[in-house]
């Protein structure tokens, strides 16, 4: 599983960080950082939820 | 339960339908929606769609209705419900009889009293947004926005960014003060003024003046000032769309009155803007009009409908919303009012970048952020687990 963020769409609402803080972090500079681009499979449900709940539909999963 | 109807085909209804299927419901699933269009996402309407940077195909909801095996009644309004019989009457004369019902008809924009001249817009649907966009494309000399709530403030910001002259009229002393407090209201008014908006606070609208052809020509305010304008946007809030439920047997009180797990009557649940329910975590009866709530309550209502007796789970989300105005992102997780204490965690109102925590009793109940998304989401996680006020205050450390 590979996490892809479209940073042109991302508005740093930080919803993903609330759902999967292991993978997504909005830092104090207001930018989103992907902490693990290829997270472990057990994180898939959380990442999928983050994909669904992103207000900008900026996150996708490859693989 | 062999058949379920979801009434309302926007964010709450579509999430309810998708959840019913995801949870294994294999029976007849009916979706009733009063718009012909495919379901779409509303937040971009006042921003990217109005700005003209996004076209309608960009805001389709990320759900494929074909996958859900639905019996669809689109472009058809539900006109009545018999709650005991679980029968829904449709505007086209049809009738839907089912075992379970999800009520998700949303809310309707409030109108100014009196006749509405042409050139007066509201913004709720995609068609509304496209009509307003077309009016702006004709390059009016000035746009008057009535109401500085979220919709009005976002419309004003988008109109300024498009280069229009804008007057923003708000009857209260400060924008959004009832929801977010006076400090935030003052900040937001300042942001709009700095961007060149003519902000008129604490003054109501007396009447709209129309020309002989019935087109709006000016807005007359209660202080006798007159603002000439051919494009007026009314954003004075919404009311839950429950008229069609009068006489249904359901309890209505500014929404559909539900239990703590969103049940309105046996076999009938509600979701989205129209649900009024007791939130156990906050000890308040709430009705919430935000995007995230539509998703969360749509899912929870669907699960409640399918739950075995005794398995119902109380709906206790931490509400969350955002509003984008110019380069400011306003977010609130949890509740801002009523509170016992409000403390600035980081930043300041003066720099228009601030995080504020709200205390009720010994708990943190809310975090408000202006360009502080990190602290808002951290606050949301704390509130979700019922964290203490001291833990909440620690959010300010190192920020």
């Amino acid at each position: 599983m590979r996490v892809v963020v479209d940073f042109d769409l991302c508005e740093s609402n930080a919803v993903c960080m609330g759902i999967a803080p292991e993978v997504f972090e909005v830092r104090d500079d207001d930018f989103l950082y992907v902490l693990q681009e290829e997270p472990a499979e057990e994180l898939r449900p959380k990442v999928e939820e983050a994909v669904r709940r992103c207000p900008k539909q900026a996150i996708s999963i490859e693989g | 339960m062999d058949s379920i109807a979801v009434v309302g085909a926007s964010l709450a209804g579509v999430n309810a339908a998708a959840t019913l299927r995801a949870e294994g419901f294999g029976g007849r699933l009916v979706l009733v929606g009063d718009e012909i269009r495919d379901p779409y996402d509303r937040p971009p309407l006042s921003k990217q769609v109005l700005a003209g940077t996004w076209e309608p195909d960009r805001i389709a909801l990320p759900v494929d209705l074909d996958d859900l095996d639905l019996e669809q009644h689109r472009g058809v309004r539900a006109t009545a419900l018999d709650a005991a019989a679980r029968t829904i009457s449709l505007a086209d004369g049809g009738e839907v009889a089912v075992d379970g019902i999800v009520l998700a008809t949303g809310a309707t924009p409030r109108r100014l009293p009196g006749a509405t001249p042409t050139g007066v817009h509201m913004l709720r649907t995609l068609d509304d947004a496209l009509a307003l966009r077309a009016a702006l494309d004709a390059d009016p000399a000035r746009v008057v926005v009535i109401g500085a709530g979220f919709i009005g403030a976002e419309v004003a910001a988008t109109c300024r960014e498009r280069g229009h002259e804008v007057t923003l009229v708000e009857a209260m002393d400060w924008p959004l003060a009832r929801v977010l407090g006076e400090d935030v209201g003052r900040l937001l008014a300042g942001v709009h003024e700095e961007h060149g908006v003519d902000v008129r606070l604490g003054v109501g609208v007396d009447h709209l003046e129309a020309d002989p052809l019935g087109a709006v020509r000016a807005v007359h305010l209660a202080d006798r000032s007159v603002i000439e304008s051919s494009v007026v946007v009314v954003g004075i809030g919404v009311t839950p769309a429950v008229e069609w439920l009068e006489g249904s047997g359901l309890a209505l009180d500014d929404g559909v009155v539900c239990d703590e797990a969103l049940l309105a009557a046996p076999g009938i649940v509600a979701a989205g803007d129209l649900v009024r329910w007791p939130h156990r975590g906050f000890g308040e009866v709430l009705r919430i009009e935000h995007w995230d709530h539509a998703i969360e309550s749509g899912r929870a209502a669907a699960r409640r409908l399918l739950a075995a007796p005794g398995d119902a789970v109380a709906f206790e989300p931490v509400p969350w919303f955002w509003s984008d105005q110019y380069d400011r992102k306003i977010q609130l997780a949890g509740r801002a009012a009523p509170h016992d204490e409000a403390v600035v965690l980081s930043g300041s109102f003066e720099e228009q970048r601030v995080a504020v925590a709200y205390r009720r009793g010994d708990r943190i109940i809310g975090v408000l952020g202006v360009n502080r998304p990190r602290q808002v989401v951290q606050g949301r996680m704390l509130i979700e687990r019922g964290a203490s006020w001291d833990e909440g205050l620690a959010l300010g450390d190192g920020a």
Side-chain angles (χ1 to χ4, degrees), chain A residues 29-58:
Chain A
D29 59 7
D30 288 346
F31 287 109
L32 171 65
Y33 293 81
V34 179
L35 302 178
Q36 308 181 49
E37 289 196 340
E38 297 185 12
E41 199 57 26
E42 68 250 30
L43 288 170
R44 182 179 287 272
K46 279 190 176 183
V47 176
E48 285 179 346
E49 177 71 4
V51 169
R52 275 195 295 269
R53 291 286 292 281
C54 172
K56 306 312 302 177
Q57 299 177 29

Side-chain angles (χ1 to χ4, degrees), chain B residues 305-323:
Chain B
L305 207 49
L306 299 176
D311 285 352
V313 179
F315 183 56
E316 302 180 75
V318 176
W320 173 84
F321 70 79
W322 84 101
S323 174

Side-chain angles (χ1 to χ4, degrees), chain B residues 175-258:
Chain B
L176 294 168
R178 220 170 354 197
V179 192
L180 301 176
E182 191 178 314
D183 287 333
V184 179
R186 197 186 304 266
L187 182 161
L188 290 174
V191 168
H192 283 276
E193 280 175 345
E194 283 166 27
H195 283 83
V197 175
D198 169 25
V199 181
R200 310 279 185 99
L201 298 172
V203 59
V205 172
D206 188 73
H207 69 280
L208 304 177
E209 178 189 336
D211 68 16
L213 295 174
V216 70
R217 183 158 66 189
V219 178
H220 291 248
L221 301 184
D223 63 4
R224 296 184 169 273
S225 56
V226 179
I227 311 158
E228 289 188 14
S229 176
S230 61
V231 177
V232 173
V233 186
V234 178
I236 53 174
V238 297
T239 51
V242 295
E243 303 82 11
W244 71 284
L245 298 171
E246 302 279 349
S248 65
L250 297 181
L252 304 178
D253 175 17
D254 183 36
V256 176
V257 177
C258 293

Side-chain angles (χ1 to χ4, degrees), chain B residues 69-396:
Chain B
D69 187 18
L70 301 169
E71 174 188 323
Q72 295 197 51
H73 298 265
R74 297 258 289 277
V76 182
R77 187 176 292 274
T79 54
L81 167 75
D82 182 334
R86 285 175 218 160
T87 308
I88 299 154
S89 304
L90 304 179
D92 64 3
E95 199 172 79
V96 175
V98 285
D99 303 323
I101 297 172
V102 181
L103 304 171
T105 44
T108 313
R110 279 201 196 98
R111 293 171 172 276
L112 289 173
T116 304
T118 58
V120 177
H121 296 258
M122 293 184 295
L123 206 163
R124 177 75 184 175
T125 66
L126 176 53
D127 288 333
D128 292 340
L130 294 175
L132 177 56
R133 185 167 98 180
L136 296 176
D137 286 344
D139 206 18
R142 176 168 295 276
V143 180
V144 177
V145 180
I146 299 171
F150 293 112
I151 293 291
E154 289 186 0
V155 167
T158 303
C159 287
R160 273 309 290 154
E161 288 174 338
R162 287 179 54 119
H164 304 290
E165 296 297 322
V166 177
T167 299
L168 180 58
V169 181
E170 169 57 48
M172 307 286 286
D173 288 342
W174 300 103
L176 294 168
R178 220 170 354 197
V179 192
L180 301 176
E182 191 178 314
D183 287 333
V184 179
R186 197 186 304 266
L187 182 161
L188 290 174
V191 168
H192 283 276
E193 280 175 345
E194 283 166 27
H195 283 83
V197 175
D198 169 25
V199 181
R200 310 279 185 99
L201 298 172
V203 59
V205 172
D206 188 73
H207 69 280
L208 304 177
E209 178 189 336
D211 68 16
L213 295 174
V216 70
R217 183 158 66 189
V219 178
H220 291 248
L221 301 184
D223 63 4
R224 296 184 169 273
S225 56
V226 179
I227 311 158
E228 289 188 14
S229 176
S230 61
V231 177
V232 173
V233 186
V234 178
I236 53 174
V238 297
T239 51
V242 295
E243 303 82 11
W244 71 284
L245 298 171
E246 302 279 349
S248 65
L250 297 181
L252 304 178
D253 175 17
D254 183 36
V256 176
V257 177
C258 293
D259 73 5
E260 61 189 22
L262 307 183
L263 195 77
I268 302 179
V269 292
D273 291 350
L274 53 62
V275 59
R276 176 175 289 283
W277 91 107
H279 187 301
R280 285 199 316 200
F282 291 116
E284 293 176 83
V285 177
L286 297 181
R287 188 175 70 75
I288 296 174
E289 296 167 356
H290 299 303
W291 182 91
D292 189 68
H293 171 73
I295 298 175
E296 290 269 9
S297 63
R299 292 180 180 179
R303 284 193 286 264
R304 170 62 189 264
L305 207 49
L306 299 176
D311 285 352
V313 179
F315 183 56
E316 302 180 75
V318 176
W320 173 84
F321 70 79
W322 84 101
S323 174
D324 294 328
Q325 299 170 28
Y326 312 100
D327 58 351
R328 298 295 102 179
K329 180 180 292 295
I330 301 104
Q331 297 174 307
L332 176 70
R335 305 286 293 154
H339 62 251
D340 297 322
E341 185 182 1
V343 169
V344 172
L345 293 172
S346 65
S348 68
F349 287 100
E350 290 70 32
E351 65 187 285
Q352 296 172 346
R353 183 164 187 251
V354 66
V356 182
Y358 300 95
R359 172 177 74 79
R360 197 183 290 169
D362 58 1
R363 284 173 52 199
I364 177 171
I365 57 157
V367 175
L368 169 102
V370 178
N371 288 28
R372 288 284 184 185
R374 175 183 172 85
Q375 282 176 313
V376 173
V377 74
Q378 287 174 328
R380 187 180 193 184
M381 290 189 269
L382 285 183
I383 299 161
E384 241 157 35
R385 60 177 176 79
S388 70
W389 177 238
D390 285 342
E391 289 175 277
L393 287 179
L395 279 177

